[in-house]
Amino acid sequence: MGAGGRMAVHSTLKKLESEPIKRVPHSKPPFTLSQVKKAIPPHCFQRSVLRSFSYVVYDLTIAFILYYVATNYIDQLPHPLSYLAWPVYWALQGCILTGVWVIAHECGHHAFSDYQWLDDTVGLILHSGLLVPYFSWKYSHRRHHSNTGSLERDEVFVPKMKSSIKWYSKYLNNPPGRILTLTITLTLGWPLYLAFNVSGRHYDRFACHFDPHGPIYSDRERLQIYISDVGILAATFGLYRLVIAKGLAWVLCVYGVPLLVVNGFLVLITFLQHTHPSLPHYDSSEWDWFRGALATADRDYGILNKVFHNITDTHVAHHLFSTMPHYHAMEATKAIKPILGEYYQFDGTPVYKAMYRETKECIYVEPDEGNQSKGVFWYSNKI
């Protein structure tokens, strides 16, 4: 009987996995943003300097402990163990520093404190330490939030039309090709986006997050882009001095590889939040801010949800109310789910399965044939 029960559960799971994914509604929702906000306890919108800084101290303390243990003890281990210990350090430190990145992300949304100057100061320091141009990212990311789901104006992970698919895509539409695509995306995706706007919004001329006079930014923002560049140059100079003092191998082991882990998680988290077979995209004839903000998905990263300060599993609430501190986002998400109903998308598929599935299923977008809503686009993979 026990074996039969296990077989029944297994067959049920297989059946669920084989069922088509239900699409999120794309029509205008029967509720308003103000109704959603009223469902959230008022204290969830309150920002605390002390509480926000407690997360900074907590993350940086763990990062320092990991650094201290790695630099003082790993090389003392017997060689087979030391070769295993370094990858463990890289993974742990990369996850913790991703949490630091998320706190700087809070600063960019003015969700860290009630003081804009404090948010920008903390964000500039933390992001520069992770080689992220803080103000440059802040302004492009703000436009992403203002235009989520828009095929013309969204800033990141803008899906391609079928007519824009490259000739070589059909040769990558197989397991080895998808693994290669994922590998390149997770390792090079973030620096390529910052330097060349890869996967970003189309501009009529070259767009780069390090260029104060590029098309991404307005005239009033250009001075702060220079400040971002100075932050990156200062961090780069510090790394150069470390290389001179400690050697390139030491800097790569202690800082470089964990930074690659951070960059990989940033791309993966953003990719899975905005790429899902059930999520619509809109052209200018259909798009509005509210429906675009709802066209995102919460994901489950297990224990890493906490390490990443719940940026992974409260993303819908974050897009609706981006100035809300992360430490209230779980409570807010629970409060709004009954209001959102079918408009709320949560996918608990294990991340390693989800990233492969989305790479396979979400190659380009197109409207449904015969559907009157020609401005609503859905993912497809039929090359």
Side-chain angles (χ1 to χ4, degrees):
M1 182 175 178
R6 286 193 296 271
M7 289 176 63
V9 171
H10 179 72
S11 62
T12 302
L13 290 174
K14 293 292 287 183
K15 181 180 178 182
L16 288 173
E17 289 179 358
S18 64
E19 289 179 352
I21 295 175
K22 184 179 179 181
R23 288 177 172 179
V24 172
H26 62 81
S27 58
K28 291 189 176 182
F31 48 82
T32 64
L33 183 63
S34 61
Q35 289 174 326
V36 178
K37 187 174 183 179
K38 286 179 182 178
I40 301 174
H43 71 264
C44 289
F45 297 97
Q46 297 174 0
R47 296 164 290 200
S48 166
V49 172
L50 289 178
R51 188 167 182 183
S52 293
F53 264 114
S54 72
Y55 289 96
V56 177
V57 173
Y58 180 81
D59 282 355
L60 293 182
T61 299
I62 295 177
F64 177 79
I65 291 172
L66 290 171
Y67 158 80
Y68 181 83
V69 171
T71 55
N72 285 276
Y73 296 104
I74 288 182
D75 286 341
Q76 297 180 15
L77 296 171
H79 280 303
L81 289 178
S82 65
Y83 293 148
L84 294 174
W86 276 113
V88 172
Y89 164 77
W90 296 334
L92 293 176
Q93 189 71 291
C95 290
I96 295 300
L97 293 179
T98 302
V100 174
W101 198 103
V102 171
I103 294 174
H105 162 268
E106 292 263 295
C107 295
H109 282 291
H110 194 23
F112 186 84
S113 75
D114 292 331
Y115 310 99
Q116 185 68 66
W117 67 268
L118 180 61
D119 288 23
D120 286 340
T121 301
V122 174
L124 178 64
I125 293 171
L126 295 181
H127 262 177
S128 296
L130 296 171
L131 299 184
V132 177
Y134 170 72
F135 287 109
S136 308
W137 164 86
K138 172 183 173 179
Y139 291 128
S140 68
H141 189 67
R142 177 183 294 175
R143 291 187 178 89
H144 159 62
H145 270 257
S146 299
N147 300 286
T148 305
S150 168
L151 290 172
E152 288 96 349
R153 297 189 303 276
D154 201 350
E155 284 285 345
V156 64
F157 278 114
V158 182
K160 294 180 175 62
M161 303 286 195
K162 188 174 184 178
S163 59
S164 301
I165 295 297
K166 303 296 185 182
W167 63 268
Y168 53 78
S169 296
K170 61 182 179 181
Y171 299 108
L172 296 175
N173 193 24
N174 51 64
R178 292 177 200 121
I179 292 173
L180 176 63
T181 301
L182 270 174
T183 301
I184 294 173
T185 300
L186 296 180
T187 54
L188 300 178
W190 179 243
L192 288 175
Y193 171 66
L194 292 179
F196 304 105
N197 202 39
V198 172
S199 85
R201 172 184 173 180
H202 172 73
Y203 288 95
D204 293 333
R205 59 190 179 93
F206 178 70
C208 170
H209 279 74
F210 301 101
D211 179 9
H213 297 281
I216 301 176
Y217 308 110
S218 65
D219 289 339
R220 67 181 181 83
E221 296 166 346
R222 304 198 192 284
L223 175 61
Q224 290 177 308
I225 310 308
Y226 279 111
I227 296 174
S228 293
D229 290 348
V230 170
I232 296 299
L233 288 173
T236 303
F237 180 75
L239 291 171
Y240 167 75
R241 298 298 301 176
L242 276 176
V243 169
I244 297 299
K246 297 285 190 177
L248 179 60
W250 187 91
V251 173
L252 289 176
C253 283
V254 172
Y255 174 83
V257 181
L259 186 65
L260 287 178
V261 175
V262 174
N263 293 347
F265 271 124
L266 299 182
V267 173
L268 178 63
I269 291 169
T270 309
F271 172 66
L272 291 182
Q273 286 167 341
H274 296 281
T275 309
H276 194 283
S278 72
L279 297 178
H281 285 75
Y282 306 94
D283 69 12
S284 57
S285 69
E286 284 281 346
W287 182 86
D288 64 68
W289 179 87
F290 197 22
R291 283 191 290 170
L294 290 171
T296 60
D298 287 349
R299 302 279 189 165
D300 185 9
Y301 285 66
I303 192 173
L304 291 180
N305 290 331
K306 293 297 183 184
V307 179
F308 297 160
H309 304 303
N310 296 106
I311 196 175
T312 46
D313 55 346
T314 63
H315 190 68
V316 176
H318 170 65
H319 260 272
L320 294 174
F321 309 103
S322 59
T323 60
M324 180 190 299
H326 68 85
Y327 40 81
H328 293 314
M330 282 301 297
E331 183 178 357
T333 296
K334 292 177 182 177
I336 66 176
K337 282 168 65 176
I339 306 294
L340 300 184
E342 291 184 337
Y343 285 82
Y344 174 76
Q345 174 63 276
F346 173 84
D347 191 335
T349 303
V351 170
Y352 69 93
K353 288 185 178 181
M355 64 184 188
Y356 182 83
R357 181 191 68 193
E358 268 49 307
T359 303
K360 176 184 177 182
E361 301 292 335
C362 304
I363 298 178
Y364 61 89
V365 292
E366 62 180 357
D368 287 337
E369 292 184 9
N371 194 315
Q372 293 183 349
S373 301
K374 292 296 184 182
V376 181
F377 292 72
W378 302 94
Y379 279 110
S380 183
N381 65 349
K382 299 185 175 103
I383 298 180

